[in-house]
Each structure stands twice: as structure tokens, then as C-alpha cells.
Amino acid sequence: MSSVPLSEAAYDRRRLRQWTAGRARSAGIDRRDLLKLVAAASVAAPLIPAAAAPAGAAQSLAGW
């Protein structure tokens, strides 16, 4: 193992290659579960009125 630490960009590239190859391991969320979560969020976001127009809520609070 090298004694010189990787730059952040080099580390990110390495982890991305590992992740896309299905070899990345961590204590966090599984890659397939993350993809399912992102897909579900992208489908559900337009269905929630507050997510579609958050600026309206901020404007109503500004005049309070």
C-alpha cells in the first residue's frame, strides 16, 4: 500500500469504478437498494404538491 494518500478526485474515481463493477463495499446502503430509492424518489416527487412548489410556502411565511 502506498504511503502517499490519494487525492480526493482519484479516490472518487476509484470508488466509482468499484461501485459500477459491483465491487464497492461499505457499511452503508447496497448499490441496488440505492438505485431503487433514487428511482422511487424521482417518480414520487412530482406527486407531492409541496415538493413541486416549495417557493410558495416560503413566500407565505415571509409575509407572516
PDB file of all heavy atoms in Angstrom, residues 3 6-7 10 16-17 22 31 38 44 47 50 57 60 63-64:
ATOM      1  N   SER A   3       2.271   5.001   0.726  1.00  0.00           N
ATOM      2  CA  SER A   3       2.252   5.878   1.890  1.00  0.00           C
ATOM      3  C   SER A   3       1.709   7.262   1.537  1.00  0.00           C
ATOM      4  O   SER A   3       1.409   8.054   2.414  1.00  0.00           O
ATOM      5  CB  SER A   3       3.659   6.003   2.490  1.00  0.00           C
ATOM      6  OG  SER A   3       4.525   6.591   1.534  1.00  0.00           O
ATOM      7  N   LEU A   6      -4.218   9.229  -1.649  1.00  0.00           N
ATOM      8  CA  LEU A   6      -4.809   9.625  -2.920  1.00  0.00           C
ATOM      9  C   LEU A   6      -5.458  10.993  -2.799  1.00  0.00           C
ATOM     10  O   LEU A   6      -5.948  11.368  -1.726  1.00  0.00           O
ATOM     11  CB  LEU A   6      -5.896   8.631  -3.325  1.00  0.00           C
ATOM     12  CG  LEU A   6      -5.476   7.234  -3.721  1.00  0.00           C
ATOM     13  CD1 LEU A   6      -6.698   6.363  -3.937  1.00  0.00           C
ATOM     14  CD2 LEU A   6      -4.631   7.260  -4.965  1.00  0.00           C
ATOM     15  N   SER A   7      -5.484  11.707  -3.916  1.00  0.00           N
ATOM     16  CA  SER A   7      -6.252  12.946  -3.913  1.00  0.00           C
ATOM     17  C   SER A   7      -7.733  12.580  -3.827  1.00  0.00           C
ATOM     18  O   SER A   7      -8.124  11.438  -4.109  1.00  0.00           O
ATOM     19  CB  SER A   7      -5.987  13.739  -5.193  1.00  0.00           C
ATOM     20  OG  SER A   7      -6.567  13.084  -6.304  1.00  0.00           O
ATOM     21  N   ALA A  10      -8.978  11.336  -7.215  1.00  0.00           N
ATOM     22  CA  ALA A  10      -8.522   9.985  -7.547  1.00  0.00           C
ATOM     23  C   ALA A  10      -9.294   8.949  -6.732  1.00  0.00           C
ATOM     24  O   ALA A  10      -9.673   7.892  -7.245  1.00  0.00           O
ATOM     25  CB  ALA A  10      -7.026   9.865  -7.299  1.00  0.00           C
ATOM     26  N   LEU A  16     -15.882   5.043  -7.767  1.00  0.00           N
ATOM     27  CA  LEU A  16     -16.898   4.955  -8.819  1.00  0.00           C
ATOM     28  C   LEU A  16     -16.674   3.714  -9.667  1.00  0.00           C
ATOM     29  O   LEU A  16     -17.627   2.996  -9.989  1.00  0.00           O
ATOM     30  CB  LEU A  16     -16.880   6.208  -9.692  1.00  0.00           C
ATOM     31  CG  LEU A  16     -17.883   6.215 -10.847  1.00  0.00           C
ATOM     32  CD1 LEU A  16     -19.314   6.123 -10.329  1.00  0.00           C
ATOM     33  CD2 LEU A  16     -17.699   7.453 -11.693  1.00  0.00           C
ATOM     34  N   ARG A  17     -15.426   3.426 -10.030  1.00  0.00           N
ATOM     35  CA  ARG A  17     -15.130   2.206 -10.791  1.00  0.00           C
ATOM     36  C   ARG A  17     -15.515   0.961  -9.996  1.00  0.00           C
ATOM     37  O   ARG A  17     -16.098   0.028 -10.533  1.00  0.00           O
ATOM     38  CB  ARG A  17     -13.642   2.155 -11.165  1.00  0.00           C
ATOM     39  CG  ARG A  17     -13.265   3.065 -12.314  1.00  0.00           C
ATOM     40  CD  ARG A  17     -11.874   2.751 -12.841  1.00  0.00           C
ATOM     41  NE  ARG A  17     -10.845   2.734 -11.820  1.00  0.00           N
ATOM     42  CZ  ARG A  17     -10.126   3.780 -11.424  1.00  0.00           C
ATOM     43  NH1 ARG A  17     -10.336   4.967 -11.986  1.00  0.00           N
ATOM     44  NH2 ARG A  17      -9.203   3.665 -10.496  1.00  0.00           N
ATOM     45  N   GLY A  22     -19.681  -3.309  -9.164  1.00  0.00           N
ATOM     46  CA  GLY A  22     -20.336  -4.080  -8.120  1.00  0.00           C
ATOM     47  C   GLY A  22     -19.369  -4.590  -7.063  1.00  0.00           C
ATOM     48  O   GLY A  22     -19.688  -5.488  -6.312  1.00  0.00           O
ATOM     49  N   ARG A  31     -25.834  -0.977  -3.372  1.00  0.00           N
ATOM     50  CA  ARG A  31     -25.947  -0.241  -4.629  1.00  0.00           C
ATOM     51  C   ARG A  31     -27.328  -0.412  -5.255  1.00  0.00           C
ATOM     52  O   ARG A  31     -27.944   0.558  -5.690  1.00  0.00           O
ATOM     53  CB  ARG A  31     -24.867  -0.728  -5.592  1.00  0.00           C
ATOM     54  CG  ARG A  31     -24.944  -0.117  -6.967  1.00  0.00           C
ATOM     55  CD  ARG A  31     -23.791  -0.552  -7.832  1.00  0.00           C
ATOM     56  NE  ARG A  31     -23.830  -1.959  -8.104  1.00  0.00           N
ATOM     57  CZ  ARG A  31     -23.812  -2.492  -9.323  1.00  0.00           C
ATOM     58  NH1 ARG A  31     -23.739  -1.711 -10.361  1.00  0.00           N
ATOM     59  NH2 ARG A  31     -23.847  -3.782  -9.489  1.00  0.00           N
ATOM     60  N   VAL A  38     -33.542   5.947  -5.469  1.00  0.00           N
ATOM     61  CA  VAL A  38     -33.494   7.101  -6.369  1.00  0.00           C
ATOM     62  C   VAL A  38     -34.628   7.029  -7.389  1.00  0.00           C
ATOM     63  O   VAL A  38     -35.278   8.031  -7.679  1.00  0.00           O
ATOM     64  CB  VAL A  38     -32.109   7.184  -7.060  1.00  0.00           C
ATOM     65  CG1 VAL A  38     -32.116   8.202  -8.181  1.00  0.00           C
ATOM     66  CG2 VAL A  38     -31.035   7.525  -6.050  1.00  0.00           C
ATOM     67  N   ALA A  44     -41.966   9.675  -7.302  1.00  0.00           N
ATOM     68  CA  ALA A  44     -42.872  10.205  -6.281  1.00  0.00           C
ATOM     69  C   ALA A  44     -42.810  11.728  -6.138  1.00  0.00           C
ATOM     70  O   ALA A  44     -43.802  12.347  -5.762  1.00  0.00           O
ATOM     71  CB  ALA A  44     -42.557   9.564  -4.933  1.00  0.00           C
ATOM     72  N   LEU A  47     -45.557  13.925  -7.503  1.00  0.00           N
ATOM     73  CA  LEU A  47     -46.874  13.643  -6.937  1.00  0.00           C
ATOM     74  C   LEU A  47     -47.136  14.393  -5.641  1.00  0.00           C
ATOM     75  O   LEU A  47     -48.274  14.468  -5.188  1.00  0.00           O
ATOM     76  CB  LEU A  47     -47.016  12.139  -6.683  1.00  0.00           C
ATOM     77  CG  LEU A  47     -46.816  11.231  -7.903  1.00  0.00           C
ATOM     78  CD1 LEU A  47     -46.879   9.777  -7.490  1.00  0.00           C
ATOM     79  CD2 LEU A  47     -47.841  11.547  -8.978  1.00  0.00           C
ATOM     80  N   ALA A  50     -46.174  19.828  -2.244  1.00  0.00           N
ATOM     81  CA  ALA A  50     -45.194  20.669  -1.549  1.00  0.00           C
ATOM     82  C   ALA A  50     -43.839  20.596  -2.228  1.00  0.00           C
ATOM     83  O   ALA A  50     -43.109  21.592  -2.274  1.00  0.00           O
ATOM     84  CB  ALA A  50     -45.077  20.237  -0.094  1.00  0.00           C
ATOM     85  N   ALA A  57     -44.567  28.181  -0.300  1.00  0.00           N
ATOM     86  CA  ALA A  57     -44.597  28.088   1.153  1.00  0.00           C
ATOM     87  C   ALA A  57     -43.657  29.121   1.772  1.00  0.00           C
ATOM     88  O   ALA A  57     -43.991  29.758   2.766  1.00  0.00           O
ATOM     89  CB  ALA A  57     -44.211  26.680   1.598  1.00  0.00           C
ATOM     90  N   SER A  60     -45.273  32.582   1.591  1.00  0.00           N
ATOM     91  CA  SER A  60     -46.362  32.795   2.534  1.00  0.00           C
ATOM     92  C   SER A  60     -45.818  33.023   3.946  1.00  0.00           C
ATOM     93  O   SER A  60     -46.416  33.774   4.711  1.00  0.00           O
ATOM     94  CB  SER A  60     -47.332  31.613   2.518  1.00  0.00           C
ATOM     95  OG  SER A  60     -46.704  30.461   3.009  1.00  0.00           O
ATOM     96  N   GLY A  63     -44.470  36.822   4.536  1.00  0.00           N
ATOM     97  CA  GLY A  63     -45.424  37.867   4.848  1.00  0.00           C
ATOM     98  C   GLY A  63     -46.079  37.719   6.210  1.00  0.00           C
ATOM     99  O   GLY A  63     -46.919  38.489   6.613  1.00  0.00           O
ATOM    100  N   TRP A  64     -45.685  36.727   6.957  1.00  0.00           N
ATOM    101  CA  TRP A  64     -46.277  36.426   8.248  1.00  0.00           C
ATOM    102  C   TRP A  64     -45.984  37.420   9.243  1.00  0.00           C
ATOM    103  O   TRP A  64     -45.609  38.235   9.712  1.00  0.00           O
ATOM    104  CB  TRP A  64     -45.779  35.058   8.714  1.00  0.00           C
ATOM    105  CG  TRP A  64     -46.621  34.497   9.787  1.00  0.00           C
ATOM    106  CD1 TRP A  64     -47.857  33.991   9.675  1.00  0.00           C
ATOM    107  CD2 TRP A  64     -46.273  34.340  11.160  1.00  0.00           C
ATOM    108  NE1 TRP A  64     -48.311  33.530  10.866  1.00  0.00           N
ATOM    109  CE2 TRP A  64     -47.346  33.755  11.811  1.00  0.00           C
ATOM    110  CE3 TRP A  64     -45.168  34.676  11.917  1.00  0.00           C
ATOM    111  CZ2 TRP A  64     -47.339  33.455  13.142  1.00  0.00           C
ATOM    112  CZ3 TRP A  64     -45.166  34.377  13.242  1.00  0.00           C
ATOM    113  CH2 TRP A  64     -46.249  33.775  13.851  1.00  0.00           C
TER     114      TRP A  64
END
